[in-house]
């Protein structure tokens, strides 16, 4: 489920698309997810997955987390640094540990309904990415991305599709990471190959 502003996000980020998925495609999506197939939500797609309850993935598909307005009260659009955690999303565990990707959102602050939900996410290895250095939106525990308990449903606020070639990085001319596969490309290759 890609980034972008579904239905202009006029009601709340991702809410209308989430309702369409819940009420029109729920059976097919439930079957797809239960077969262990991968569902990836990027930025607005992440917002959609939390509003449908596919993330963090309770059995009754209730919403237990959300992506709220950034602490700054402003739309943020810049590159961020992240750390990839060892997680239940095993197909990502062989990618680089440190990532740089761009963000572009006004509602990206990850929050949980209660402390118990946050503790479960941490204990179950469902946190995939954390911001390092600056937390651009005020996310609890600097969380930038999570997965379902099985690791096949993934959501993250930064955009891996915007760093699939080296020249997309703002410092590409400095030669940093010259022989490295861009992390965005690593993300999609891992999703397909593993």
């Amino acid at each position: 489920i890609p980034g972008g502003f579904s239905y202009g996000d006029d009601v709340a980020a991702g809410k209308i698309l989430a309702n369409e998925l819940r009420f029109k495609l729920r059976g097919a999506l439930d079957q797809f997810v239960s077969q262990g197939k991968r569902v990836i939500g990027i930025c607005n797609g992440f917002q959609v997955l939390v509003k449908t309850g596919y993330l963090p993935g309770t059995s009754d598909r209730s919403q237990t987390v959300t992506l709220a307005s950034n602490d700054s009260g402003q739309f943020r659009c810049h590159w961020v640094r992240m750390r990839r955690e060892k997680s239940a999303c095993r197909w990502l565990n062989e990618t680089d540990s440190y990532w740089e990707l761009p963000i572009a959102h006004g509602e990206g602050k990850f929050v949980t309904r209660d402390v118990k939900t946050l503790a479960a996410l941490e204990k179950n290895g469902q946190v995939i990415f954390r911001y390092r250095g600056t937390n651009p939106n005020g996310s609890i525990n600097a969380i930038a991305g999570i997965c379902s308990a099985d690791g096949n449903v993934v959501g993250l606020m930064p955009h891996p599709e915007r760093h699939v070639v080296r020249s997309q990085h703002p410092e590409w001319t400095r030669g940093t990471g010259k022989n490295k596969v861009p992390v965005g490309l690593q993300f999609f290759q891992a999703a397909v190959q593993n």
Side-chain angles (χ1 to χ4, degrees):
I1 303 173
F5 298 97
S6 58
Y7 296 96
D9 284 346
D10 293 325
V11 175
K15 187 66 174 174
I16 296 173
L17 180 55
N19 282 341
E20 284 203 337
L21 293 177
R22 284 178 43 216
F23 296 115
K24 294 181 179 179
L25 295 172
R26 175 92 179 246
L29 272 172
D30 281 350
Q31 182 179 5
F32 191 83
V33 169
S34 70
Q35 292 171 349
K37 295 181 180 174
R38 297 199 175 115
V39 177
I40 299 169
I42 299 167
C43 194
N44 192 240
F46 185 16
Q47 295 162 336
V48 169
L49 289 175
V50 301
K51 285 176 174 48
T52 58
Y54 285 100
L55 283 175
T58 59
S59 59
D60 64 352
R61 299 278 182 249
S62 61
Q63 185 178 348
T64 60
V65 303
T66 198
L67 292 146
S69 294
N70 298 340
D71 280 355
S72 67
Q74 299 175 338
F75 182 86
R76 302 291 303 266
C77 183
H78 56 83
W79 283 71
V80 297
R81 292 186 169 131
M82 301 184 307
R83 182 180 73 240
R84 182 196 42 75
E85 305 283 325
K86 287 283 186 188
S87 70
C89 185
R90 286 177 282 287
W91 55 273
L92 275 176
N93 284 342
E94 298 305 315
T95 61
D96 285 356
S97 298
Y98 295 100
W99 291 45
E100 291 184 18
L101 292 174
I103 59 167
H105 59 258
E107 296 176 42
K109 178 182 179 177
F110 182 84
V111 294
T112 60
R113 180 172 50 193
D114 51 39
V115 176
K116 182 179 173 186
T117 300
L118 179 61
L121 288 173
E122 296 284 2
K123 180 183 176 200
N124 297 334
Q126 289 179 259
V127 176
I128 303 173
F129 296 107
R130 291 184 204 275
Y131 298 110
R132 63 184 181 99
T134 304
N135 183 340
N137 43 40
S139 291
I140 192 165
N141 288 11
I143 294 172
I146 65 169
C147 66
S148 60
D150 294 335
N152 63 316
V153 182
V154 170
L156 67 158
M157 287 309 295
H159 289 263
E161 79 281 7
R162 295 184 187 176
H163 190 206
V164 294
V165 295
R166 207 171 54 80
S167 60
Q168 289 175 306
H169 193 283
E171 296 181 2
W172 76 276
T173 57
R174 295 182 184 191
T176 55
K178 186 175 11 180
N179 299 320
K180 225 169 85 166
V181 175
V183 290
L185 186 56
Q186 289 181 42
F187 178 87
F188 291 110
Q189 286 176 334
V192 172
Q193 295 170 357
N194 297 327

